Amino acid sequence: MNDGLEGIVAASTRLSRVDGEAGQLTLAGYAVEDLAPRASFEEVAYLFLHGRLPEPAELSRFAQDLAARRVLPGAAIAVLRESAAAQAPPMDSLRMAAAALGLGREENPWEDAMAAIASFPTIVGVYWRLRQGEPPVPVRSDLPHAAHFLHQLSGVAPSPGRVRALETYLNTVCDHGLNASTFAARVIVSTRSDVISAITGAVGALKGPLHGGAPGPALNMVFEIGAAERAETVIRAMLDRGERLMGFGHRVYRVRDPRADVLAQAAERFYSSGGDRSLYDLARSVESTALRLLRERKPDRRLDTNVEFYTALLLHGLGLPVELFTPTFAVGRVLGWAAHCLEQLREGRLIRPQSVYIGPVGLAYHGVPVH
Ligand code: ACO
């Protein structure tokens, strides 16, 4: 029996390959460190949905198609108004609004996939502004995808440096083998349910702190430490209390997560160009202390830095509040979910594993007396 399905192969995919021993991530044929910092999000989306990079004319048509789907249906905006008024957690609001995306039109896997990818930035932006008591910003279809997301949040057209940093992040996290949320999406669509249902379920899976919910706590740990010389004391105390260090450890990687390097470099570029590297330098030193202490405490587990540690630093540098870290992860990962759904519908079978029953058998039912 294998609780957690560790090491079990449950699907074939052309979308991404995770080599946990070598610390390599391949995105539809390209190494993450080659593709993510240089390609636009739209190029990567085209690659995932069509299986190859686009020619210039194909890219511009695809970018327009995507941009044309940014406006939310009224039902999704109504849900966001209600959830912002109730101060609902951002991932719950994203889940509820995602569920409303298919309302008023026929189910269509391609349309549903495109609608979800295009509208996640709008959902997060509208929710956040309403939550701050500000009116949503009208959707602009003339901005690229990553710029549109930042514009939805702030109402200001972002600098090329901020757009590049966010785009590198979105590309880096867009897919990662059969992670928990992608598996959830594939299971749902494997029943021939629809893509919007699958993506809604995936949002629920991403919310948990063992998957997409770690970057906020990772950043809080860096802030709590505050100065490099306090790192050892604070981290030792956390480990003594049996706490997990957020941003470290991974089910598949037994070496450093390659996405951590891509994001660390993007963060270094971003913080250096902004003039204040102190938070970046602090994070680097927290990381090395954490790795040393994890090796000391768990010598037989290879616990290394994962993607969430530098996600936190990069997104904080971009001015995103901690509450939006996991929803921003979803803005990138929805591309992988959508592409996996289409692949599963094309090529997959019903996913239906088995369980081992470990409860009692042969109990005799005597009924409950009715008075
Ligand atoms: N800090 C301290 N100890 C840890 C950590 C950590 N970050 N991660 C694992 N361990 C320890 C566990 O306590 C356990 O110790 P034990 O054997 O003495 O009980 C041992 O290492 C194995 O842990 P598992 O839970 O079996 O590892 P698993 O593969 O199930 O979990 C996970 C992987 C969930 C990512 C885990 O490392 C963790 O909780 N990390 C912190 C949360 C985090 O960063 N999540 C983001 C992951 S990346 C992503 O999803 C995009």
Side-chain angles (χ1 to χ4, degrees):
M1 222 240 323
N2 182 349
D3 270 347
L5 298 179
E6 183 165 356
I8 301 292
V9 173
S12 307
T13 181
R14 291 179 179 79
L15 298 168
S16 61
R17 183 183 67 181
V18 183
D19 184 337
E21 288 299 325
Q24 288 170 355
L25 170 61
T26 306
L27 296 172
Y30 300 86
V32 64
E33 50 274 34
D34 183 25
L35 188 72
R38 292 163 50 208
S40 68
F41 179 82
E42 283 86 341
E43 276 180 289
V44 176
Y46 188 100
L47 171 67
F48 266 64
L49 298 179
H50 291 278
R52 62 172 174 82
L53 285 171
E55 299 296 332
E58 291 170 327
L59 178 60
S60 97
R61 217 172 22 251
F62 178 78
Q64 281 169 24
D65 276 358
L66 204 58
R69 291 168 166 85
R70 285 177 184 162
V71 175
L72 302 181
I77 295 179
V79 162
L80 291 171
R81 275 193 200 289
E82 291 286 332
S83 65
Q87 304 275 307
M91 285 300 280
D92 293 349
S93 308
L94 176 59
R95 169 177 48 74
M96 289 185 274
L101 286 177
L103 202 69
R105 59 182 173 77
E106 293 280 297
E107 271 176 36
N108 174 314
W110 177 264
E111 286 298 323
D112 289 349
M114 289 287 281
I117 298 164
S119 53
F120 266 38
T122 323
I123 293 176
V124 178
V126 167
Y127 161 81
W128 189 244
R129 291 189 66 90
L130 290 172
R131 174 89 185 256
Q132 304 303 109
E134 290 167 11
V137 178
V139 164
R140 272 178 58 176
S141 54
D142 58 325
L143 292 172
H145 190 79
H148 158 66
F149 179 37
L150 292 171
H151 183 259
Q152 277 292 299
L153 291 170
S154 67
V156 178
S159 69
R162 295 182 73 219
V163 174
R164 183 63 262 173
L166 179 65
E167 204 152 38
T168 299
Y169 170 72
L170 298 177
N171 292 346
T172 300
V173 301
C174 72
D175 196 38
H176 200 239
L178 210 55
N179 60 88
S181 56
T182 301
F183 183 51
R186 281 191 87 126
V187 168
I188 292 172
V189 92
S190 84
T191 69
R192 297 291 181 264
S193 177
D194 66 293
V195 171
I196 295 297
S197 296
I199 285 174
T200 305
V203 173
L206 188 70
K207 174 183 166 187
L210 300 191
H211 188 8
L219 185 67
N220 290 342
M221 179 177 77
V222 175
F223 280 137
E224 188 194 328
I225 290 170
E229 56 279 12
R230 277 175 35 81
E232 173 125 8
T233 319
V234 174
I235 295 172
R236 267 193 199 286
M238 289 176 78
L239 293 173
D240 285 345
R241 290 193 297 268
E243 289 175 23
R244 290 189 178 202
L245 306 182
M246 293 293 144
F248 296 89
H250 198 273
R251 173 57 67 84
V252 181
Y253 290 119
R254 292 300 169 226
V255 292
R256 194 174 156 84
D257 184 336
R259 300 169 299 172
D261 281 331
V262 175
L263 297 185
Q265 280 164 20
E268 184 175 20
R269 256 195 311 277
F270 188 74
Y271 277 93
S272 304
S273 67
D276 178 15
R277 275 181 57 109
S278 56
L279 187 63
Y280 175 81
D281 292 334
L282 173 63
R284 275 284 190 201
S285 106
V286 168
E287 180 193 16
S288 65
T289 306
L291 290 175
R292 180 166 50 78
L293 296 183
L294 284 171
R295 258 161 223 147
E296 186 185 301
R297 292 295 170 102
K298 311 261 176 201
D300 39 348
R301 281 292 298 189
R302 286 157 70 190
L303 296 170
D304 220 311
T305 317
N306 68 41
V307 66
E308 304 289 33
F309 191 75
Y310 285 101
T311 288
L313 201 64
L314 188 62
L315 296 187
H316 174 75
L318 280 167
L320 295 183
V322 172
E323 295 96 313
L324 293 190
F325 287 0
T326 310
T328 303
F329 188 173
V331 167
R333 184 55 61 86
V334 68
L335 169 57
W337 295 335
H340 273 272
C341 286
L342 297 178
E343 188 177 57
Q344 176 70 32
L345 285 171
R346 256 190 336 263
E347 301 169 21
R349 289 180 72 206
L350 172 69
I351 300 172
R352 203 306 187 185
Q354 294 191 19
S355 50
V356 175
Y357 177 68
I358 56 166
V361 291
L363 300 180
Y365 175 69
H366 295 297
V368 180
V370 179
H371 298 290

